[in-house]
Amino acid sequence: MSAHQSCRHLLASLSEFVDGELDEKLCAEIERHLADCENCRIVIDSLEKTVSLYQTVSKTETVPDEVRERLFHRLKLDEFLES
Amino acid sequence: MSNRKTKEVFSLDALRAGDRAEFARLVETYYEMIYRLALKMLNDSQDAEDILQETFIKAYQHIRNFDGRSELSTWLYRIATNEALMQLRRKRPQTFSIENPEFSDEAEPEPVQIVDWCCLPEEELISAEAQARMDVAIEKLPASLRVVFVLRDIQGLSTRETGEVLDLSETAVKTRLSRARLRLREDLSSYYAERLGEENRP
Ligand SMILES: [Zn+2]
């Protein structure tokens, strides 16, 4: 199989590879391929980074207090707002 | 994991009996995660607030039917996800294209953007502009991929839990997640490639 064909062939497994959920055999195959394929190394790195950026950003997002207040009010739970 | 922060110790009997204090505790524990889910799904704070409120109204009405087989958080996610998908269908029907990734054998398109942008400084990677691009990238995903990405990667649910919320097999969850991630990667890469280009310009 040419290098290019194996890139295509492995593409669908990269996401599971990143999660460490891939079976050993396929995992080893990807690792071997990555040793000689810079393109796939870049795709994997940027795939991992993409996911981690979304996670980083969402951790910094807070829910406004008024959203909680309006929710409790709508649910007629105002008496529990203080807790 | 966000929904594991507080161990679920709710009295189902009290909830089913309509106990207000116990219900308030349930709301307190889960409102943030539901709001975040809705915000990521709809990218609109007013819509997200509507979904949040509807979710707990429905939860209060239907708690008697909760059989306790799944976790309460999973059950709430299921209600919220359905609400969010309905809202999307109403307001943005284009996100429900004929494309149905579950039944499509078509492989993901080959990666086009092969640019190593991981070395960009953190403040550039998560600048306000970059964050806006990230939100747009999620919005471009078809709803069926978006919901899996949000549950798995942003809310931190496991593959199994995501499957439970959406009534999907684990294989289907993994396939959709892979496609969502690859598309987002492509989209972000084209943005960061531009940033890299500007940085390297003399
Ligand atoms: Zn390759």
Side-chain angles (χ1 to χ4, degrees), chain B residues 116-128:
Chain B
D116 186 3
W117 46 265
C118 298
C119 54
L120 276 167
E122 191 79 358
E123 61 269 25
E124 187 108 43
L125 288 172
I126 55 170
S127 67

Side-chain angles (χ1 to χ4, degrees), chain A residues 3 6-7 10 33 37 39-41:
Chain A
S6 39
C7 300
L10 295 174
H33 178 80
C37 181
N39 278 7
C40 283
R41 282 204 300 274

